[in-house]
Every structure is written in structure tokens, then in C-alpha cells.
Amino acid sequence: MKKYDYVIVGGGLFAATFAHAATSRGKKCLIVEKRNHLGGNIYCENIEGINVHKYGAHIFHTSNRTVWEFVNSLVEFNRYTNSPVANYKGEIYNMPFNMNTFSKMWSDVRTPAEAKARIAEQTAKIKDEPKNLEEQAISLVGEDIYKKLVKGYTEKQWGRDCTELPAFIIKRLPVRYTYDNNYFNDLFQGIPMGGYNVLIDKLFEGCDVELNADYNEDREKYDVLGEKVLYTGTIDSFYDYKFGKLEYRSLRFESEILDEENHQGVAVVNYTDRETPYTRIIEHKHFEYGTQEKTVITREYPADWQEGMEQYYPVNDEKNQTLYQKYADLAKNESNVIFGGRLAEYKYYDMDKVIESAFALINKEFC
């Protein structure tokens, strides 16, 4: 008999959801996490009494009632609604693109019909199939919105001009002809009261945990401990990069404590001009309606991923998808290793989709 039913590699939300289901069924789990904390990218660090989202802003939103009821059965969520604003060279616009945005962009536009006509006039300039991201964006929202609110932000995010980026990166841009600043269309939205660590602690309750531990560097030790391995790390590192390394975009963060109660009046401000080096500033206290005397802000800088950096966004081009498929084909032949989560699947997931994916694995394993 092995000591554990599951050795779970990684301490993020996918691993946590599966671990919770396994332990609730009497299974014994060991969590092996490279970082010095659990929670993956939703981990929060408490600074000045404020739950700081250490790896970027995370707002939980879903239309899946089962997922919403699941997380709320563990912790209470607040009523936070994501309503970011965009700063273009000092001009402030509401996001997503809605009637507040349009009436600010064009002083003579006040009704949905006027906004539709102005946008249609500009999108009509792209007559053929868009050849790049710039043409695709203009075909969706017109030149004015593209130049002020899409172009610079996107070029910073990807580190390339929009004319050099493929059109498929932007399949749609949300355009709403209402005065509604709620960024998400989902039925449910909020932040765990007390931060995401409260949720993570609940999910990993009953598990044994090893932090600062690299499964891939000591695989023989961990494999003999468990009947099965759930691997949520990068799939290419599992196979020692035998076909090459998958590419990512990464992020860099600079946080600062400010001796003021309210710095920007909203949790997220996007800086959409190309010249400002960061893409956004996050003021964390607004996620939980904080009243602390001080505030903490974080500037977010996009970066080319290099070894040792966090992998945030997979580069979903043809080259990388072909490479991923080679690894995925190998993974299908593993007899006692299960692969799951955004890094193992080389896929960008919203939090609710991570939980849905974990639910699918849980049903397969236990039902």
C-alpha cells in the first residue's frame, strides 16, 4: 500500500478543487508545490490589512450556478462588480466599450442609434478579410476606439505592433449600447470575503503539503508515495522539453504602499497608450471595499517569458499548438499520471472554467 492515493503536483485552483473532492471521499493527498505558498496565481499577500493579489487582479465571475454554489458553500463572496476604466493620455473612458465610452469619445453621440451609426461608418473601411489584428479590431469597433483604447494596450501586452499580430487573437470586442459599466456578462460575480487564501485553505483542508518542492527534480521520491499522480505543472517540463519549450507571455509587478486612503477610485485602471510602460494599475483595497488609512497599488508590466519567470498567457499560435499536441499525445499514454489545469493543458482558463475542468476530472475519477 502506498502512503497516498494521490500525489498532486501544484497548488493552484485546479489542484485544490480536485484535492477537496478526493479528501471528502476519504482519499489521502500529498500536495507538492514549487512556490513557498499554496493558491497558485490567486494567492493574496496581506499588506497594511489589504489583501493584495500577488499575481495580478482576479475577479471571480461565472454563469455556472453549480460552480457558484460550490465556491459559496466554502466561503462567502462579496458583491464586487468589475468596472475598470481606461486612461488614454489623461482621458478617462469606461470599460467595456459602452454608451458612457461612446459619449465621451464623441461629444455629439448620446443615443445607441448614433453610436451604432458612428461605429458602422468606421468599420466599413475594412472591406476585405482582416489581414492582421489592427484590421480585425477596426472591423469590430472602428478607428477611434481602436487607436485610443485597443492599439497601445495590445501592443504592450504582446510586445509587437498590431500590424504584426494575427487577426485571430481578437475574435470579438465587447460593444454594448447601454450605459452599463459592468465588464462581465455573467450572472454571478464577486471576491471571497477575506481574500482568495480563505478559499484555498478550505479546498486543501485535510491534505499533506510540501512547499518549495520540485516534483520534476525528485520524481522517483514522489512517484513511489502515491497510487496516482495529478500533474498540474507545465507539460513540456514533465517531458524534460524533449520536443522544445512552449512559449508564454509573462508579467512583472511593482507594488507600492501609498500614504493615502484612495489613489484612483477604482480597482483597475488600464493605460492604453503605448508610451506608458505598464498596462494597468491595480488598487487592491477596492476589491473588498477597504477603508484602511493607506492603500497598496500594483503596476503591471507585460514581459517576454524567460526561464524562471511565471507563465501567464500561452502563445496560441500554430507553432506552439503543434508542439503542445506532441506532448499531449505522450500524456495520453501515461498509466498513472493525470494531467490537468492551465499549464498542463497549455490553455488560458478563467477561474470558473478551471473549476469546471476539475469537476469533469472528478466525475471521471469518482463517479
Side-chain angles (χ1 to χ4, degrees):
M1 291 290 291
K2 296 195 175 185
K3 186 175 180 182
Y4 298 98
D5 295 288
Y6 294 95
V7 172
I8 299 177
V9 182
L13 187 56
F14 185 96
T17 303
F18 182 87
H20 178 268
T23 54
S24 69
R25 289 165 169 81
K27 306 297 183 182
K28 195 162 177 55
C29 299
L30 172 66
I31 313 303
V32 182
E33 169 55 54
K34 286 176 69 174
R35 293 173 176 170
N36 63 359
H37 61 78
L38 294 174
N41 287 353
I42 65 174
Y43 172 76
C44 294
E45 186 175 13
N46 193 280
I47 302 174
E48 297 290 338
I50 299 164
N51 291 310
V52 173
H53 296 206
K54 185 174 174 64
Y55 301 96
H58 284 79
I59 299 104
F60 199 96
H61 58 98
T62 186
S63 290
N64 186 323
R65 187 177 294 275
T66 302
V67 169
W68 184 244
E69 289 176 351
F70 169 69
V71 293
N72 277 269
S73 73
L74 299 166
V75 298
E76 187 176 358
F77 276 65
N78 68 17
R79 58 175 181 80
Y80 178 79
T81 299
N82 189 30
S83 302
V85 298
N87 184 321
Y88 176 78
K89 299 183 178 181
E91 298 174 14
I92 304 298
Y93 296 93
N94 288 107
M95 304 283 286
F97 309 139
N98 64 57
M99 287 304 300
N100 289 310
T101 318
F102 307 144
S103 61
K104 178 73 179 285
M105 182 77 64
W106 305 299
S107 59
D108 59 337
V109 167
R110 294 177 180 80
T111 68
E114 291 169 343
K116 285 182 180 180
R118 184 64 56 87
I119 290 172
E121 176 187 324
Q122 296 187 7
T123 59
K125 295 177 182 178
I126 305 297
K127 302 187 185 303
D128 300 320
E129 186 72 22
K131 296 187 291 293
N132 52 49
L133 189 147
E134 176 168 288
E135 292 186 0
Q136 173 78 333
I138 293 172
S139 74
L140 293 170
V141 295
E143 285 182 307
D144 292 344
I145 294 171
Y146 164 71
K147 286 177 180 176
K148 286 192 174 184
L149 303 182
V150 178
K151 178 178 166 64
Y153 189 93
T154 304
E155 290 179 343
K156 287 187 290 188
Q157 193 81 316
W158 289 94
R160 293 161 62 188
D161 289 344
C162 286
T163 53
E164 299 172 2
L165 291 166
F168 70 77
I169 288 178
I170 293 183
K171 294 184 172 64
R172 55 181 289 274
L173 286 168
V175 176
R176 297 181 190 161
Y177 296 99
T178 59
Y179 288 93
D180 180 6
N181 298 324
N182 180 0
Y183 193 81
F184 300 120
N185 283 319
D186 286 312
L187 292 174
F188 312 108
Q189 184 174 175
I191 304 281
M193 294 178 71
Y196 283 99
N197 295 3
V198 180
L199 175 62
I200 286 297
D201 289 346
K202 285 280 189 182
L203 288 168
F204 280 121
E205 218 167 58
C207 297
D208 289 345
V209 177
E210 284 191 26
L211 300 177
N212 302 302
D214 191 331
Y215 167 82
N216 285 327
E217 289 185 359
D218 213 349
R219 194 176 295 185
E220 289 183 7
K221 166 190 168 182
Y222 293 113
D223 284 351
V224 299
L225 292 176
E227 297 290 343
K228 286 187 177 182
V229 172
L230 170 58
Y231 184 85
T232 69
T234 50
I235 193 169
D236 52 353
S237 68
F238 182 89
Y239 291 106
D240 198 25
Y241 310 107
K242 68 182 296 180
F243 300 127
K245 291 183 179 180
L246 292 164
E247 294 177 303
Y248 292 85
R249 288 290 290 166
S250 191
L251 298 171
R252 180 172 61 84
F253 303 101
E254 288 181 359
S255 292
E256 184 180 358
I257 301 170
L258 300 178
D259 195 14
E260 53 185 292
E261 285 189 21
N262 185 357
H263 179 67
Q264 61 186 22
V266 67
V268 181
V269 176
N270 292 345
Y271 286 79
T272 59
D273 62 284
R274 181 73 185 261
E275 294 72 27
T276 302
Y278 42 84
T279 49
R280 56 183 181 173
I281 293 180
I282 303 161
E283 188 171 8
H284 303 268
K285 70 189 303 179
H286 294 301
F287 290 129
E288 298 182 65
Y289 310 104
T291 57
Q292 298 88 348
E293 291 183 1
K294 295 186 179 183
T295 194
V296 180
I297 64 168
T298 300
R299 296 177 184 87
E300 188 173 301
Y301 298 82
D304 290 323
W305 180 81
Q306 296 175 355
E307 197 68 41
M309 297 177 70
E310 300 296 340
Q311 300 99 334
Y312 285 95
Y313 306 108
V315 179
N316 283 320
D317 58 13
E318 186 176 343
K319 180 185 80 170
N320 281 282
Q321 282 303 316
T322 301
L323 180 57
Y324 164 70
Q325 194 56 53
K326 289 182 179 180
Y327 288 119
D329 290 341
L330 287 182
K332 291 175 187 174
N333 297 320
E334 298 289 342
S335 58
N336 69 330
V337 182
I338 306 163
F339 294 83
R342 66 181 187 89
L343 295 176
E345 298 178 53
Y346 194 63
K347 187 174 183 179
Y348 179 80
Y349 273 126
D350 285 332
M351 286 180 284
D352 64 323
K353 302 304 180 189
V354 170
I355 293 174
E356 286 179 14
S357 180
F359 281 175
L361 174 59
I362 290 161
N363 288 335
K364 185 177 178 181
E365 281 288 295
F366 303 122
C367 298

